[in-house]
Amino acid sequence: IVRPLTLGVRLILVRDGSVVLVRHTYQDFWFLPGGGGDKGGTLEAAARRAAREETGAQLGALSLHGVYTNFAEFKNDHVAVFQGTDFTIAPRANSEIAACQFFRLDALPPDLAPGHLRRLNEFLQKQNKKFFKKNEEK
């Protein structure tokens, strides 16, 4: 039995204490925007394409949040998660996206996909560490 290897991207797009989430037409949860990698392309290029397709976003600078794997249920999934605060959004029609909206980081929807909630909690923990490091330097 062969387990196909998948490579995807997700984005943590945050502005003014709110994060962009999408709801697909074929799933019951809210998700971080994302998609699959392109053969011969970079992960960053895949992230920019996915953001444009799912949210209408044009992205500025991105940084890598982390790379994650999932081997449950005989999967061989790998996901690179990028984060950014420099973006513009002009939502456009997409047959796969039922909704795209901002949610305050302190008021996330109860039906946020569990793995995506874990990534946002990590993001918040990193932000607090950066905040404390800046304050210690003063």
Side-chain angles (χ1 to χ4, degrees):
I1 295 176
V2 176
R3 290 191 271 176
L5 179 119
T6 62
L7 182 59
V9 295
R10 291 288 176 181
L11 292 134
I12 299 172
L13 300 176
V14 175
R15 179 182 300 137
D16 299 326
S18 295
V19 64
V20 177
L21 299 176
V22 296
R23 191 177 208 46
H24 296 95
T25 56
Y26 49 86
Q27 292 183 322
D28 294 330
F29 291 100
W30 286 96
F31 295 91
L32 296 167
D38 295 319
K39 186 174 183 177
T42 67
L43 291 172
E44 183 177 342
R48 290 178 184 282
R49 177 190 43 77
R52 187 174 57 256
E53 290 175 356
E54 290 201 347
T55 69
Q58 295 297 318
L59 306 178
L62 288 175
S63 61
L64 183 64
H65 174 76
V67 179
Y68 302 86
T69 57
N70 179 6
F71 299 112
E73 302 169 1
F74 297 101
K75 293 180 182 177
N76 195 0
D77 296 338
H78 305 270
V79 178
V81 179
F82 290 89
Q83 63 188 52
T85 57
D86 178 18
F87 59 91
T88 58
I89 290 188
R92 59 186 194 167
N94 181 321
S95 61
E96 291 186 13
I97 304 299
C100 169
Q101 68 186 73
F102 282 90
F103 287 89
R104 291 207 39 81
L105 287 165
D106 60 0
L108 295 170
D111 54 350
L112 176 61
H116 297 235
L117 178 59
R118 285 191 297 274
R119 300 298 79 84
L120 288 172
N121 281 329
E122 292 167 359
F123 171 80
L124 290 169
Q125 288 175 352
K126 285 182 181 180
Q127 295 307 305
N128 285 337
K129 288 180 183 176
K130 286 181 184 178
F131 174 77
F132 291 125
K133 283 183 180 179
K134 285 182 182 176
N135 283 341
E136 289 173 2
E137 294 171 1
K138 292 181 179 180

Coordinates of all heavy atoms in Angstrom, one line a residue, residues 6-72:
T6 N 1.4 14.5 0.3 CA 0.8 15.8 -0.1 C 1.5 17.0 0.5 O 2.1 16.8 1.6 CB -0.7 15.9 0.3 OG1 -0.8 15.8 1.7 CG2 -1.5 14.8 -0.4
L7 N 1.6 18.1 -0.2 CA 2.3 19.3 0.3 C 1.3 20.4 0.1 O 0.9 20.7 -1.0 CB 3.6 19.5 -0.5 CG 4.4 20.7 -0.1 CD1 4.8 20.5 1.4 CD2 5.7 20.7 -0.9
G8 N 1.0 21.1 1.2 CA 0.1 22.2 1.1 C 0.6 23.4 1.9 O 1.7 23.4 2.6
V9 N -0.1 24.5 1.8 CA 0.2 25.7 2.5 C -1.1 26.3 3.2 O -2.2 26.0 2.8 CB 0.7 26.8 1.6 CG1 2.1 26.4 1.0 CG2 -0.2 27.1 0.5
R10 N -0.9 27.0 4.3 CA -1.9 27.7 5.0 C -1.3 29.1 5.4 O -0.1 29.3 5.5 CB -2.4 27.0 6.3 CG -3.1 25.7 6.0 CD -4.5 26.0 5.5 NE -5.2 24.7 5.2 CZ -6.4 24.7 4.7 NH1 -7.1 25.8 4.4 NH2 -6.9 23.5 4.4
L11 N -2.3 30.0 5.6 CA -1.8 31.4 5.9 C -2.5 31.9 7.2 O -3.7 31.8 7.3 CB -2.2 32.3 4.7 CG -1.4 32.0 3.5 CD1 -2.3 32.0 2.3 CD2 -0.3 33.1 3.3
I12 N -1.7 32.5 8.0 CA -2.2 33.3 9.2 C -2.1 34.7 8.8 O -1.0 35.3 8.8 CB -1.4 33.0 10.5 CG1 -1.5 31.5 10.8 CG2 -1.9 33.9 11.6 CD1 -0.6 31.0 12.0
L13 N -3.2 35.3 8.4 CA -3.3 36.7 8.0 C -3.9 37.5 9.0 O -5.1 37.4 9.3 CB -4.0 36.9 6.6 CG -3.4 36.1 5.5 CD1 -4.3 36.2 4.2 CD2 -2.0 36.5 5.2
V14 N -3.2 38.4 9.7 CA -3.7 39.1 10.9 C -3.5 40.6 10.7 O -2.5 41.1 10.2 CB -2.9 38.7 12.2 CG1 -3.3 39.5 13.4 CG2 -3.1 37.2 12.4
R15 N -4.6 41.3 11.1 CA -4.6 42.8 11.1 C -5.5 43.3 12.2 O -6.6 42.8 12.4 CB -5.1 43.3 9.7 CG -5.1 44.8 9.7 CD -5.6 45.5 8.5 NE -4.9 45.0 7.3 CZ -5.4 44.7 6.2 NH1 -6.7 44.7 6.0 NH2 -4.7 44.3 5.1
D16 N -4.9 44.2 13.0 CA -5.7 44.9 14.0 C -6.4 43.9 15.0 O -7.5 44.0 15.3 CB -6.7 45.8 13.5 CG -6.1 46.9 12.6 OD1 -5.0 47.4 13.0 OD2 -6.7 47.4 11.6
G17 N -5.6 42.8 15.3 CA -6.2 41.8 16.3 C -7.2 40.9 15.7 O -7.9 40.2 16.5
S18 N -7.3 40.8 14.4 CA -8.3 39.9 13.7 C -7.6 39.1 12.7 O -6.6 39.5 12.1 CB -9.4 40.7 13.1 OG -10.2 41.4 14.0
V19 N -8.1 37.9 12.5 CA -7.5 36.9 11.5 C -8.5 36.6 10.4 O -9.7 36.6 10.7 CB -7.0 35.6 12.2 CG1 -8.2 34.9 12.8 CG2 -6.2 34.8 11.3
V20 N -8.0 36.4 9.2 CA -8.9 36.0 8.1 C -9.1 34.5 8.1 O -8.1 33.7 8.2 CB -8.2 36.4 6.7 CG1 -9.1 36.0 5.6 CG2 -7.9 37.9 6.7
L21 N -10.4 34.1 8.1 CA -10.7 32.7 8.0 C -11.7 32.5 6.8 O -12.4 33.4 6.4 CB -11.4 32.2 9.3 CG -10.6 32.3 10.5 CD1 -11.5 31.9 11.7 CD2 -9.3 31.5 10.5
V22 N -11.7 31.3 6.3 CA -12.5 30.9 5.2 C -13.4 29.7 5.5 O -13.0 28.9 6.4 CB -11.8 30.6 3.8 CG1 -11.1 31.9 3.4 CG2 -10.8 29.5 4.0
R23 N -14.6 29.7 4.9 CA -15.5 28.5 5.1 C -15.7 28.0 3.7 O -16.1 28.7 2.8 CB -16.8 28.9 5.7 CG -17.6 27.8 6.2 CD -18.9 28.4 6.8 NE -19.6 27.6 7.8 CZ -19.1 27.0 8.9 NH1 -17.9 26.9 9.1 NH2 -19.9 26.4 9.7
H24 N -15.4 26.7 3.5 CA -15.6 26.0 2.2 C -17.0 25.6 2.0 O -17.7 25.3 3.0 CB -14.6 24.8 2.1 CG -13.2 25.2 2.1 ND1 -12.4 25.2 3.2 CD2 -12.4 25.6 1.1 CE1 -11.2 25.6 3.0 NE2 -11.1 25.9 1.7
T25 N -17.4 25.4 0.8 CA -18.8 25.0 0.5 C -19.0 23.5 0.8 O -20.1 23.1 1.0 CB -19.1 25.2 -1.0 OG1 -18.1 24.5 -1.8 CG2 -19.1 26.7 -1.4
Y26 N -17.9 22.8 0.9 CA -18.0 21.3 1.1 C -17.5 20.8 2.5 O -17.4 19.6 2.7 CB -17.1 20.6 0.0 CG -15.7 21.2 -0.2 CD1 -14.7 20.7 0.6 CD2 -15.5 22.2 -1.1 CE1 -13.4 21.2 0.5 CE2 -14.2 22.7 -1.2 CZ -13.2 22.2 -0.5 OH -11.9 22.8 -0.6
Q27 N -17.2 21.8 3.4 CA -16.8 21.3 4.8 C -17.6 22.2 5.8 O -18.0 23.3 5.5 CB -15.3 21.5 4.9 CG -14.6 20.5 4.1 CD -13.1 20.5 4.3 OE1 -12.5 21.6 4.5 NE2 -12.5 19.3 4.3
D28 N -17.6 21.7 7.0 CA -18.4 22.3 8.1 C -17.6 23.2 9.0 O -18.2 23.7 10.0 CB -19.1 21.3 8.9 CG -20.2 20.5 8.1 OD1 -20.8 21.2 7.2 OD2 -20.5 19.4 8.4
F29 N -16.3 23.4 8.8 CA -15.5 24.2 9.7 C -15.0 25.5 9.0 O -15.0 25.6 7.8 CB -14.3 23.4 10.1 CG -14.6 22.2 11.0 CD1 -14.6 20.9 10.5 CD2 -14.8 22.4 12.4 CE1 -14.9 19.9 11.3 CE2 -15.1 21.3 13.2 CZ -15.1 20.1 12.7
W30 N -14.5 26.4 9.9 CA -13.7 27.6 9.4 C -12.3 27.1 9.3 O -11.8 26.3 10.2 CB -13.9 28.7 10.3 CG -15.2 29.4 10.2 CD1 -16.3 29.2 11.0 CD2 -15.6 30.4 9.3 NE1 -17.4 30.0 10.6 CE2 -16.9 30.8 9.6 CE3 -14.9 31.1 8.3 CZ2 -17.6 31.7 8.9 CZ3 -15.6 32.1 7.6 CH2 -16.9 32.4 7.8
F31 N -11.5 27.6 8.4 CA -10.2 27.3 8.2 C -9.3 28.5 7.9 O -9.8 29.5 7.4 CB -10.0 26.4 6.9 CG -10.7 25.0 7.1 CD1 -12.0 24.9 6.6 CD2 -10.0 24.0 7.6 CE1 -12.6 23.6 6.7 CE2 -10.6 22.7 7.7 CZ -11.9 22.5 7.3
L32 N -8.0 28.4 8.1 CA -7.1 29.4 7.6 C -7.0 29.2 6.1 O -7.1 28.1 5.6 CB -5.7 29.1 8.2 CG -5.5 29.3 9.7 CD1 -4.2 28.7 10.2 CD2 -5.6 30.7 10.1
P33 N -6.9 30.3 5.3 CA -6.9 30.1 3.9 C -5.6 29.3 3.5 O -4.6 29.3 4.2 CB -6.7 31.5 3.4 CG -6.9 32.4 4.5 CD -6.8 31.6 5.8
G34 N -5.7 28.6 2.4 CA -4.6 27.8 2.0 C -5.0 26.9 0.8 O -6.0 27.0 0.2
G35 N -4.0 26.1 0.4 CA -4.2 25.2 -0.8 C -3.0 24.3 -1.0 O -2.1 24.2 -0.1
G36 N -3.0 23.7 -2.1 CA -1.9 22.7 -2.4 C -0.7 23.4 -3.1 O -0.8 24.5 -3.6
G37 N 0.4 22.7 -3.0 CA 1.6 23.2 -3.6 C 1.5 23.0 -5.1 O 0.8 22.1 -5.6
D38 N 2.4 23.7 -5.9 CA 2.4 23.5 -7.3 C 3.7 22.8 -7.7 O 4.8 23.1 -7.2 CB 2.4 24.9 -8.0 CG 1.1 25.6 -7.8 OD1 0.0 25.0 -7.8 OD2 1.1 26.8 -7.6
K39 N 3.6 21.8 -8.6 CA 4.8 21.1 -9.0 C 5.8 22.1 -9.6 O 5.5 22.9 -10.5 CB 4.4 20.1 -10.1 CG 5.6 19.2 -10.5 CD 5.1 18.1 -11.4 CE 6.3 17.2 -11.7 NZ 5.9 16.1 -12.5
G40 N 7.0 22.1 -9.1 CA 8.1 22.9 -9.5 C 8.1 24.3 -9.0 O 8.9 25.2 -9.2
G41 N 7.0 24.7 -8.2 CA 6.9 26.0 -7.6 C 7.4 26.0 -6.1 O 7.6 25.0 -5.5
T42 N 7.5 27.2 -5.6 CA 7.9 27.4 -4.2 C 6.7 27.4 -3.3 O 5.6 27.6 -3.8 CB 8.7 28.7 -4.0 OG1 7.8 29.8 -4.2 CG2 9.9 28.8 -4.9
L43 N 6.9 27.1 -2.1 CA 5.8 27.1 -1.1 C 5.3 28.5 -0.9 O 4.1 28.7 -0.8 CB 6.3 26.6 0.2 CG 6.6 25.1 0.2 CD1 7.2 24.6 1.6 CD2 5.3 24.3 0.0
E44 N 6.2 29.5 -1.0 CA 5.7 30.9 -0.9 C 4.8 31.3 -2.0 O 3.8 31.9 -1.9 CB 6.9 31.9 -0.7 CG 6.4 33.3 -0.6 CD 7.5 34.3 -0.4 OE1 8.6 33.9 0.0 OE2 7.2 35.5 -0.5
A45 N 5.2 30.9 -3.2 CA 4.4 31.1 -4.4 C 3.0 30.5 -4.3 O 2.0 31.0 -4.6 CB 5.1 30.7 -5.7
A46 N 3.0 29.2 -3.7 CA 1.7 28.5 -3.5 C 0.9 29.3 -2.5 O -0.4 29.4 -2.7 CB 2.0 27.1 -3.1
A47 N 1.5 29.8 -1.5 CA 0.7 30.5 -0.4 C 0.1 31.8 -1.0 O -1.0 32.1 -0.8 CB 1.7 30.9 0.7
R48 N 0.9 32.5 -1.9 CA 0.4 33.7 -2.5 C -0.8 33.4 -3.4 O -1.8 34.1 -3.5 CB 1.5 34.5 -3.2 CG 2.5 35.1 -2.2 CD 3.7 35.8 -2.9 NE 4.6 36.3 -2.0 CZ 4.5 37.3 -1.2 NH1 3.4 38.1 -1.3 NH2 5.4 37.7 -0.3
R49 N -0.7 32.3 -4.2 CA -1.7 31.9 -5.1 C -3.0 31.6 -4.3 O -4.1 32.0 -4.6 CB -1.3 30.8 -6.0 CG -2.4 30.3 -6.9 CD -2.1 29.0 -7.6 NE -1.4 28.0 -6.8 CZ -2.1 27.2 -5.9 NH1 -3.4 27.4 -5.6 NH2 -1.4 26.3 -5.2
A50 N -2.8 30.8 -3.3 CA -4.0 30.3 -2.5 C -4.7 31.5 -1.8 O -5.9 31.6 -1.8 CB -3.5 29.3 -1.4
A51 N -3.9 32.5 -1.3 CA -4.5 33.7 -0.7 C -5.3 34.4 -1.7 O -6.4 34.9 -1.5 CB -3.4 34.6 -0.1
R52 N -4.8 34.6 -2.9 CA -5.5 35.3 -4.0 C -6.8 34.5 -4.4 O -7.8 35.1 -4.5 CB -4.6 35.5 -5.2 CG -5.1 36.3 -6.3 CD -4.0 36.5 -7.4 NE -3.5 35.3 -8.0 CZ -2.4 34.7 -7.7 NH1 -1.5 35.3 -6.9 NH2 -2.0 33.6 -8.3
E53 N -6.7 33.2 -4.5 CA -7.8 32.4 -5.0 C -8.9 32.4 -3.9 O -10.1 32.4 -4.2 CB -7.4 31.0 -5.4 CG -6.6 31.0 -6.6 CD -6.0 29.6 -7.0 OE1 -6.2 28.7 -6.1 OE2 -5.4 29.4 -8.0
E54 N -8.5 32.2 -2.7 CA -9.5 31.9 -1.6 C -10.1 33.2 -1.0 O -11.2 33.2 -0.5 CB -9.0 31.0 -0.5 CG -8.8 29.6 -1.0 CD -8.7 28.6 0.1 OE1 -8.6 29.0 1.3 OE2 -8.8 27.4 -0.2
T55 N -9.3 34.3 -1.0 CA -9.7 35.5 -0.3 C -9.6 36.7 -1.1 O -10.1 37.8 -0.7 CB -8.8 35.7 1.0 OG1 -7.5 36.1 0.6 CG2 -8.8 34.5 1.9
G56 N -9.0 36.7 -2.3 CA -8.8 37.9 -3.1 C -7.6 38.7 -2.6 O -7.5 39.9 -3.0
A57 N -6.8 38.2 -1.7 CA -5.7 38.9 -1.0 C -4.5 39.1 -1.9 O -4.1 38.1 -2.6 CB -5.3 38.3 0.3
Q58 N -3.9 40.2 -1.9 CA -2.6 40.5 -2.4 C -1.7 40.6 -1.2 O -2.0 41.4 -0.3 CB -2.6 41.8 -3.2 CG -3.4 41.7 -4.5 CD -3.0 40.6 -5.5 OE1 -1.8 40.5 -5.7 NE2 -3.9 39.9 -6.0
L59 N -0.6 39.8 -1.1 CA 0.2 39.8 0.1 C 1.5 40.5 -0.1 O 2.1 40.5 -1.1 CB 0.5 38.3 0.4 CG -0.6 37.3 0.5 CD1 -0.1 35.9 0.7 CD2 -1.6 37.8 1.6
G60 N 1.9 41.2 1.0 CA 3.2 41.8 1.1 C 4.2 40.7 1.7 O 4.1 39.6 1.3
A61 N 5.0 41.2 2.6 CA 6.0 40.3 3.2 C 5.3 39.1 4.0 O 4.3 39.3 4.7 CB 6.8 41.1 4.2
L62 N 5.9 37.9 3.9 CA 5.4 36.8 4.6 C 6.6 36.2 5.4 O 7.8 36.3 5.0 CB 4.9 35.7 3.6 CG 3.6 35.9 2.9 CD1 3.4 34.8 1.9 CD2 2.5 36.0 3.9
S63 N 6.3 35.5 6.5 CA 7.3 34.8 7.2 C 6.8 33.4 7.4 O 5.6 33.2 7.5 CB 7.8 35.5 8.5 OG 6.7 35.6 9.3
L64 N 7.7 32.4 7.6 CA 7.3 31.0 7.8 C 7.0 30.9 9.3 O 7.8 31.2 10.2 CB 8.4 30.1 7.4 CG 8.1 28.6 7.6 CD1 7.0 28.2 6.6 CD2 9.4 27.8 7.3
H65 N 5.8 30.4 9.6 CA 5.3 30.2 11.0 C 5.8 28.8 11.4 O 6.3 28.6 12.5 CB 3.8 30.2 11.0 CG 3.3 29.8 12.4 ND1 3.3 30.6 13.5 CD2 2.7 28.7 12.8 CE1 2.7 30.0 14.5 NE2 2.4 28.8 14.1
G66 N 5.7 27.8 10.5 CA 6.2 26.4 10.8 C 5.8 25.5 9.7 O 5.0 25.8 8.8
V67 N 6.3 24.3 9.8 CA 6.0 23.2 8.9 C 5.5 22.0 9.7 O 6.1 21.6 10.7 CB 7.2 22.8 8.0 CG1 6.8 21.6 7.1 CG2 7.7 24.0 7.2
Y68 N 4.4 21.4 9.3 CA 3.7 20.4 10.1 C 3.4 19.2 9.2 O 3.3 19.3 8.0 CB 2.4 21.0 10.6 CG 2.6 22.2 11.5 CD1 2.7 23.5 10.9 CD2 2.8 22.1 12.8 CE1 3.0 24.6 11.6 CE2 3.1 23.3 13.6 CZ 3.1 24.5 13.0 OH 3.4 25.6 13.7
T69 N 3.3 18.1 9.9 CA 3.0 16.8 9.3 C 1.8 16.1 9.9 O 1.5 16.4 11.1 CB 4.2 15.8 9.3 OG1 4.5 15.6 10.7 CG2 5.4 16.4 8.6
N70 N 1.1 15.3 9.1 CA 0.0 14.5 9.6 C 0.1 13.1 9.0 O 0.0 13.0 7.8 CB -1.3 15.2 9.2 CG -2.5 14.4 9.7 OD1 -2.4 13.5 10.4 ND2 -3.7 14.8 9.2
F71 N 0.3 12.1 9.9 CA 0.4 10.8 9.4 C -0.8 9.9 9.9 O -0.8 8.7 9.8 CB 1.7 10.1 9.9 CG 2.9 10.8 9.4 CD1 3.7 11.5 10.3 CD2 3.2 10.8 8.1 CE1 4.9 12.2 9.8 CE2 4.4 11.4 7.6 CZ 5.2 12.1 8.5
A72 N -1.8 10.6 10.5 CA -3.0 9.9 11.0 C -3.8 9.3 9.8 O -3.8 9.9 8.7 CB -3.9 10.8 11.8

